[in-house]
Amino acid sequence: MICISCPRGCELSVQGSSDNLIVTGNHCPKGREFAISETIRPQRFLTTTVSVAPGLGCQRLAVISRDPIDLDRLKDLSLSLKSFCIDHEIELGQEVLRLGDAVFLAASSLKKEKPDER
Amino acid sequence: MRTRSFDVAVIGSGPAGMAAAISASDEGSSVVIIDREGRSGGVLKQCVHDGFGLERFHKRLSGPWYAQIESDEVSRRPIEVHQDTFASRIEKTPSGFSIFCSSPRGFERIDCAALIMATGCRERTSKQIAIHGTRPAGIFNAGTAQNMVNIHGILPGRKAVILGSGDIGLIMARRLSLEGCQVIGVYEAKSEPSGLARNIHQCLDDYHIPLYLGTTVTRCIGIERLEAVEVAKTDSSMHPIAGTEQIVSCDTLVISVGLIAENELIKPLGVKMDKATSAPVTDQYSMTSINGLFCTGNCRVVFDLVDTVSKTSMICGRRASQIARKASAGPAVQVVSCTDLAFVCPQVIRMPAGKVQLHFRPKKVLRDYMLTASQDGKIIGQKYYSVLRPAQMEDIEISADESQAEIRLEGESR
C-alpha cells in the first residue's frame, strides 16, 4: 500500500496478524500508524461543500470533517450533506454541522456582503 | 485615467501572490495586489480536498482553509487588494512598470517599481490534444469541472470518463464519486501515472475506480450531449494503436492532461524564456531577465505543493521589495542541467548566493540516483535519491559563494 500521510508516498507493506502487525517501507512513525489503521479500519477526512444562502459572498462553503471517518461511510455522508444550507456568518474552523457522530468544520469564513461601495 | 503608484505590485491573489505581497510588505514596501476574482485564494478556493500545509503548518488543511489563513494575514497588513480587477497590459517605464487594468471603478493605471507576476497556470485543453469526432456538451477540463462542483454546486454529468492521470484528474475522480456521479475510469496515454502515488491510492483505489495505463481517448461521440467516447491502446510514443478501439458509454469527459504556466502578459516585454519550463528564466529570488520583474508560483514552474509555492514566494516578495528600493541584482551565473532532468529551476543564480534550493523533475523514473552540483570542478551540492519520479518535484541544496563559473549538474544511477 502507498502511505497517504505526506507527499513522499512511501510504499508500505504489512505482515503478521492483526494483534502483531509488522510494517516495513515507512520512513517515519506516521507511516506505521497509517499502515496499521489502513489494515484494521481504513479512515479518511471527508471534505465537501454545503450550499450557502444568498448575501454571504459565495454559493458554497467548503467543509472538512473534524475527525477521520470510516472509508465505507464517506459516500453516504457526502450525499447526506447535500440538503444542508448555511444562512449565517461563519468563522474559519467553526463547527457548522453534525451528522450523527460526524462533526464538520468550516474551511473558510462567510461574511455578509457589504452594500456595493463602488 | 485614475493612476496609483506603489513600490511593489502583485498580479494574482492565489497562494503565490499573497505570500509575496506579505513578505514585500513586511520588508517595508507599499504593496498592491491585483486579482481578477471577487475573493482571494486563487485555485485553492476550489481545491476543497485536504493535504495542504503539511510542511508549513504540520496539519492536513483543505485548500480553502490554507487560502483563508493567508488572506487573513494579508488583511492584517497595509496591503491594498483590488478584487474583480483584470490586468490587460503591462508596459516597461524608466522607473519600473505600468499595469493597465479594468476594474469595477473603471479603467486604471497602476505604476510600480517592482512587479511580481503570480498568475498561476492554465490547463491544456482538448483542442491541444488530438481527439477527433463531434463537439457535444459534456467535455470539461478538470479545473473547470472542479470549479462547477466546488464553487457553484453544479454536477457536470452523471457518468464520467477521465482522460489523464494528473493529480487534478485523480482528485476530480474522487470528488465526482462523492457527489454521486459514476466514474467509469481514468485513462492515461503514458505507461506510468502522471499523478502522485498517494493520489492513486486515496482517489482511485478507495472508490474502486479503474486506471487504464497506455490507453487514450481518440474520439468523442454525440450530437447535443456526449454519449460515448472511443478509447484505444497507445504505443510507446503515445500514438493510438489501430484495431484496439473500444466504445465507452458516458455523458461527461473530464480532461486532465497537463498544465501550462500563464505568462502571456509579460511575453511582450521580451522576457527571456526557458523551453524546459515554458516559463521565464528566473534566479533564486524568482526574478526574470528583466530587472524588477518577478515571476513566482505556478507561472514560474508548476509546483506539486502549495507549501513550496508559499516558501519560494516569500523569498520573492522580500527581494522585490529590496529591488524596488534600488538594491543591485548581482552578477548571474547559469545553472546547466543534465540530460536526465526535465528542467531545473532557478535557471540562473545571482552571486553571492549562499545556500540555494534547486527544484527539478526527472524525465523518467530513476532509481538509486546520485545528483551532484559543481562549479569549477568543486562540489557545491550532492544528494542521493532512492527513487525519482516525473510526478514528484525534488530539490537539491547548493552552496555557491565564490566562483562566477557556471553551475553544472551531473547525475548517475549507481
Side-chain angles (χ1 to χ4, degrees):
Chain A
M1 74 178 74
I2 302 285
C3 183
I4 64 167
S5 306
C6 85
R8 184 166 182 163
C10 294
E11 286 172 40
L12 308 175
S13 64
V14 183
Q15 282 168 328
S17 58
S18 63
D19 55 344
N20 184 30
L21 290 172
I22 298 154
V23 180
T24 50
N26 58 310
H27 285 86
C28 79
K30 275 187 188 167
R32 193 184 128 77
E33 246 170 66
F34 172 77
I36 291 170
S37 103
E38 195 71 356
T39 308
I40 296 166
R41 185 177 174 179
Q43 291 187 315
R44 304 281 182 266
F45 284 92
L46 176 59
T47 61
T48 185
T49 66
V50 291
S51 73
V52 174
L56 288 162
C58 57
Q59 293 163 278
R60 310 291 297 178
L61 173 70
V63 296
I64 181 166
S65 61
R66 190 189 62 196
D67 310 298
I69 290 170
D70 290 345
L71 186 54
D72 54 14
R73 286 180 64 206
L74 294 181
K75 216 160 172 170
D76 286 344
L77 266 178
S78 166
L79 294 177
S80 309
L81 287 173
K82 283 194 171 192
S83 55
F84 283 90
C85 181
I86 308 294
D87 59 2
H88 49 87
E89 293 197 339
I90 294 278
E91 292 296 324
L92 174 66
Q94 190 181 331
E95 181 182 322
V96 275
L97 51 98
R98 267 172 196 268
L99 217 60
D101 57 348
V103 177
F104 291 87
L105 309 177
S108 71
S109 61
L110 289 179
K111 294 257 182 306
K112 281 203 179 103
E113 284 170 30
K114 287 179 195 143
D116 213 330
E117 290 158 357
R118 291 160 195 169
Chain B
M1 187 175 4
R2 207 173 107 113
T3 304
R4 301 283 307 282
S5 190
F6 297 85
D7 296 331
V8 177
V10 181
I11 301 184
S13 194
M18 290 194 285
I22 287 167
S23 65
S25 174
D26 289 351
E27 193 71 19
S29 284
S30 60
V31 180
V32 62
I33 304 180
I34 297 159
D35 190 40
R36 67 179 177 184
E37 297 195 342
R39 222 177 141 108
S40 282
V43 79
L44 281 183
K45 294 196 293 290
Q46 67 183 56
C47 298
V48 301
H49 52 282
D50 65 328
F52 299 91
L54 278 163
E55 285 183 6
R56 190 165 167 216
F57 300 111
H58 306 289
K59 283 185 198 158
R60 297 182 68 93
L61 303 174
S62 67
W65 195 308
Y66 191 105
Q68 184 83 55
I69 291 175
E70 210 69 333
S71 77
D72 287 349
E73 284 296 321
V74 168
S75 51
R76 278 188 207 111
R77 290 169 171 78
I79 298 170
E80 270 194 39
V81 186
H82 295 195
Q83 303 286 169
D84 294 312
T85 303
F86 196 91
S88 55
R89 189 162 57 89
I90 294 167
E91 274 179 15
K92 181 87 190 78
T93 64
S95 59
F97 304 88
S98 287
I99 308 155
F100 296 85
C101 312
S102 63
S103 82
R105 298 163 299 279
F107 209 59
E108 293 179 332
R109 196 183 89 203
I110 290 173
D111 293 337
C112 59
L115 172 59
I116 300 174
M117 301 300 293
T119 45
C121 53
R122 285 180 186 282
E123 291 183 276
R124 195 166 282 138
T125 67
S126 63
K127 308 288 182 293
Q128 288 162 286
I129 52 174
I131 299 180
H132 300 282
T134 51
R135 289 291 180 264
I139 304 169
F140 304 96
N141 272 36
T144 307
Q146 191 179 47
N147 189 280
M148 287 171 72
V149 175
N150 294 344
I151 302 291
H152 300 288
I154 302 164
L155 200 59
R158 300 272 169 211
K159 202 173 169 190
V161 159
I162 298 187
L163 173 61
S165 60
D167 288 312
I168 318 170
L170 302 176
I171 283 157
M172 277 316 289
R174 170 176 64 184
R175 191 75 193 103
L176 289 169
S177 295
L178 280 172
E179 287 292 321
C181 172
Q182 185 193 351
V183 180
I184 297 168
V186 175
Y187 294 83
E188 169 59 60
K190 294 183 204 139
S191 56
E192 284 265 336
S194 306
L196 297 173
R198 68 178 191 135
N199 281 335
I200 308 278
H201 185 76
Q202 63 181 344
C203 298
L204 302 189
D205 299 349
D206 278 4
Y207 298 88
H208 314 290
I209 299 168
L211 170 62
Y212 302 98
L213 296 172
T215 314
T216 191
V217 171
T218 46
R219 193 157 62 96
C220 292
I221 300 159
I223 305 298
E224 294 289 323
R225 178 80 196 192
L226 189 68
E227 288 164 14
V229 292
E230 179 191 80
V231 300
K233 296 265 175 217
T234 53
D235 60 21
S236 55
S237 52
M238 293 202 289
H239 292 120
I241 301 167
T244 63
E245 299 87 353
Q246 277 188 313
I247 303 296
V248 179
S249 160
C250 61
D251 66 8
T252 304
L253 174 63
V254 173
I255 297 170
S256 172
V257 289
L259 301 166
I260 308 159
E262 170 61 58
N263 289 293
E264 296 307 315
L265 270 173
I266 55 168
K267 276 183 191 165
L269 300 180
V271 67
K272 192 173 167 199
M273 301 291 285
D274 178 6
K275 279 202 187 99
T277 54
S278 303
V281 168
T282 52
D283 64 19
Q284 72 268 39
Y285 308 106
S286 303
M287 193 167 86
T288 66
S289 59
I290 297 173
N291 194 54
L293 178 62
F294 293 76
C295 178
T296 189
N298 280 358
C299 65
R300 179 187 184 209
V301 63
V302 179
F303 288 91
D304 291 342
L305 302 180
V306 69
D307 305 69
T308 322
V309 167
S310 296
K311 193 171 138 194
T312 51
S313 297
M314 299 284 276
I315 296 169
C316 166
R318 204 170 304 133
R319 187 63 170 175
S321 179
Q322 293 160 359
I323 295 282
R325 282 171 290 141
K326 311 290 173 239
S328 155
V333 304
Q334 294 290 320
V335 179
V336 183
S337 182
C338 63
T339 52
D340 290 333
L341 308 185
F343 67 80
V344 176
C345 177
Q347 297 87 348
V348 299
I349 303 289
R350 301 271 177 188
M351 293 299 198
K355 286 195 166 68
V356 171
Q357 300 276 331
L358 302 182
H359 306 278
F360 65 91
R361 285 180 204 277
K363 282 183 186 154
K364 56 179 176 41
V365 177
L366 298 167
R367 288 180 194 277
D368 210 11
Y369 194 80
M370 179 70 93
L371 188 64
T372 306
S374 63
Q375 212 180 2
D376 264 345
K378 182 187 154 205
I379 293 174
I380 57 165
Q382 196 166 47
K383 193 168 172 182
Y384 170 77
Y385 307 86
S386 55
V387 60
L388 289 170
R389 297 176 200 279
Q392 198 142 353
M393 184 184 260
E394 284 288 352
D395 55 48
I396 179 170
E397 189 176 82
I398 60 163
S399 191
D401 274 323
E402 298 148 30
S403 171
Q404 305 285 312
E406 63 186 20
I407 294 164
R408 291 196 157 271
L409 287 176
E410 268 159 290
E412 57 173 344
S413 287
R414 299 195 303 182

